Amino acid sequence: MLFSTMNKSNRFRMSSFKIFYLMFNQRNIHELTCRFAVVLLLTCQCLADDGYEMDDFLKREYSLTKPYQGLGSSSSSYWDLMGNAMITTEHVRLTPDLQSRQGAVWSRVPCFLRDWELQVHFKIHGHGKKNLNGDGMALWYTKERMQIGPVFGNMNLFTGLGVFVDTYPNENKNHERVFPYVSGMVGNGTLAYEHDRDGQSTELGGCTALVRNIPHDTFLLIRYTKNRLTIQIDVDGKQEWRDCLDLPGVRLPQGYFFGASSVTGDLSDNHDLISMKLYQLTVERTQEEEEEEELIPSVDNFEHLNKVEVQEEGMSGVQLFFTIVFSVIGIFVLGVVAVVMYGRWKENSRKRFY
């Protein structure tokens, strides 16, 4: 009886120990899991893409987001509308799907951030068939603002950065690229964008981006930090950035304005801007880099970047036809003249023989 009582007591102690041990282990595991989650959350909040630190909030004075209250209509607004641009509850429509329209939106506040990232949510759609739509839209960081012109609705000979989403190939000959096409250009006030050549002679690089009439959201990212320009796109519905352009040696002054513009001609599309969100990047700099001040936009070794050769235009079908016809006539005339001269020479030879 005593032995049985002792066994029961021992079993009770062992069971209590096991329960206490399991509770202790579960508590440790739970505590470690919580700590790991907190560290991971803080790391994700502090780091942006490629390890650049980003502020926890938008730079709202440079950002354009829903519900677009007071846009262009009050002195407290940070943005101005221009041309045919209009506001809806879902987007800012730069141009409707109608011919000969031009519209833009421009920031009123000059940007004095040295390192920044601009994320743009946009949509291009319309009733036109492939290659029967146009013309595209542009994003700007320029010295000038609220100017009308031929470069996607903005002025030519601009000073600053232009990023173009070109949906229509104006030059059909010798095109190796597939449209729609995203490209970048830095202007210094004297460099002209060649519309008829789709800006090939001045572009810094680019990529194909199938952004028109697709069912999912489309995004474009422009990052400028430590004189490096990076353009990425998210247009495949995978929620991931894809590289489009990455170029060091790009020098942009501070104090320029952000904007977006679009234009339609004989061909048209809806060009909708849903949001533009600007983040400040915190980047470590040397003392020498801190003292650098850019006055004129430029790109290091720009003359070596552009490898597009200007090729002579080939003959049209009509020119080729007449060239062949006149060549045949010329050969025939020469043949007749040669036969006549040969006959005369032969006749003169017989007369001398007799």
Side-chain angles (χ1 to χ4, degrees), residues 17 50 53 55 59 73 100-101 110 119 122 127 129 184 189 197 217 221 230 246 283 298 303 308 320 336 350:
F17 178 78
D50 299 329
E53 294 185 8
D55 288 351
K59 293 298 179 182
S73 62
S100 303
R101 297 294 191 270
Q119 297 182 15
F122 67 98
H127 297 293
K129 297 180 180 180
R197 293 185 56 81
D217 292 333
L221 179 150
T230 302
D246 187 24
V283 182
S298 64
E303 61 277 5
V308 178
L320 182 62
V336 171
R350 286 200 300 268

Side-chain angles (χ1 to χ4, degrees), residues 48-315:
D49 294 341
D50 299 329
Y52 295 110
E53 294 185 8
M54 300 178 68
D55 288 351
D56 292 336
F57 55 90
L58 291 176
K59 293 298 179 182
R60 297 190 180 278
E61 62 270 33
Y62 308 121
S63 298
L64 179 63
T65 57
K66 296 178 184 179
Y68 319 116
Q69 291 180 349
L71 175 59
S73 62
S74 67
S75 58
S76 60
S77 173
Y78 294 129
W79 295 83
D80 281 320
L81 287 179
M82 186 176 71
N84 300 115
M86 61 178 294
I87 307 169
T88 73
T89 56
E90 298 298 322
H91 52 251
V92 176
R93 176 154 290 173
L94 299 176
T95 56
D97 191 4
L98 298 171
Q99 294 180 338
S100 303
R101 297 294 191 270
Q102 179 275 332
V105 58
W106 283 96
S107 171
R108 292 179 178 178
V109 184
C111 178
F112 289 95
L113 303 179
R114 298 192 67 171
D115 304 280
W116 46 264
E117 179 177 294
L118 181 67
Q119 297 182 15
V120 182
H121 184 188
F122 67 98
K123 186 177 183 65
I124 299 176
H125 57 105
H127 297 293
K129 297 180 180 180
K130 185 178 180 181
N131 293 332
L132 291 176
N133 57 279
D135 285 330
M137 61 183 292
L139 302 166
W140 304 97
Y141 174 70
T142 56
K143 180 180 179 181
E144 307 86 6
R145 63 184 296 272
M146 301 292 287
Q147 301 292 322
I148 297 177
V151 186
F152 297 93
N154 190 30
M155 63 178 288
N156 210 338
L157 304 178
F158 60 88
T159 308
L161 172 67
V163 175
F164 312 122
V165 184
D166 195 348
T167 59
Y168 180 77
N170 293 291
E171 186 188 42
N172 294 318
K173 302 171 185 177
N174 306 318
H175 247 317
E176 297 179 355
R177 62 184 64 175
V178 178
F179 282 73
Y181 190 81
V182 175
S183 64
M185 172 183 168
V186 170
N188 58 9
T190 61
L191 196 62
Y193 176 87
E194 294 182 331
H195 182 268
D196 293 338
R197 293 185 56 81
D198 299 310
Q200 289 188 80
S201 61
T202 52
E203 78 168 49
L204 304 178
C207 64
T208 295
L210 303 181
V211 298
R212 184 176 180 271
N213 281 350
I214 55 179
H216 49 262
D217 292 333
T218 49
F219 300 87
L220 188 147
L221 179 150
I222 306 170
R223 181 187 298 127
Y224 179 70
T225 178
K226 298 185 74 170
N227 298 333
R228 189 179 197 94
L229 176 65
T230 302
I231 298 176
Q232 296 178 322
I233 56 175
D234 175 9
V235 299
D236 303 317
K238 298 179 179 179
Q239 288 77 50
E240 59 184 24
W241 295 113
R242 173 160 58 90
D243 291 337
C244 182
L245 185 153
D246 187 24
L247 185 66
V250 177
R251 306 182 183 278
L252 298 175
Q254 298 169 259
Y256 284 7
F257 298 91
F258 288 105
S261 67
S262 178
V263 69
T264 64
D266 293 334
L267 303 175
S268 63
D269 256 340
N270 296 306
H271 298 92
D272 298 338
L273 183 64
I274 301 171
S275 68
M276 295 175 65
K277 298 180 180 180
L278 189 82
Y279 298 89
Q280 181 178 9
L281 302 179
T282 303
V283 182
E284 293 185 1
R285 292 177 176 273
T286 64
Q287 184 64 30
E288 183 179 354
E289 290 173 335
E290 287 289 350
E291 294 175 354
E292 284 184 358
E293 184 179 0
E294 308 299 339
L295 300 177
I296 300 176
S298 64
V299 179
D300 295 349
N301 302 314
F302 173 72
E303 61 277 5
H304 300 300
L305 288 176
N306 192 338
K307 298 180 181 179
V308 178
E309 296 181 0
V310 179
Q311 302 181 7
E312 294 183 1
E313 294 186 357
M315 289 184 293

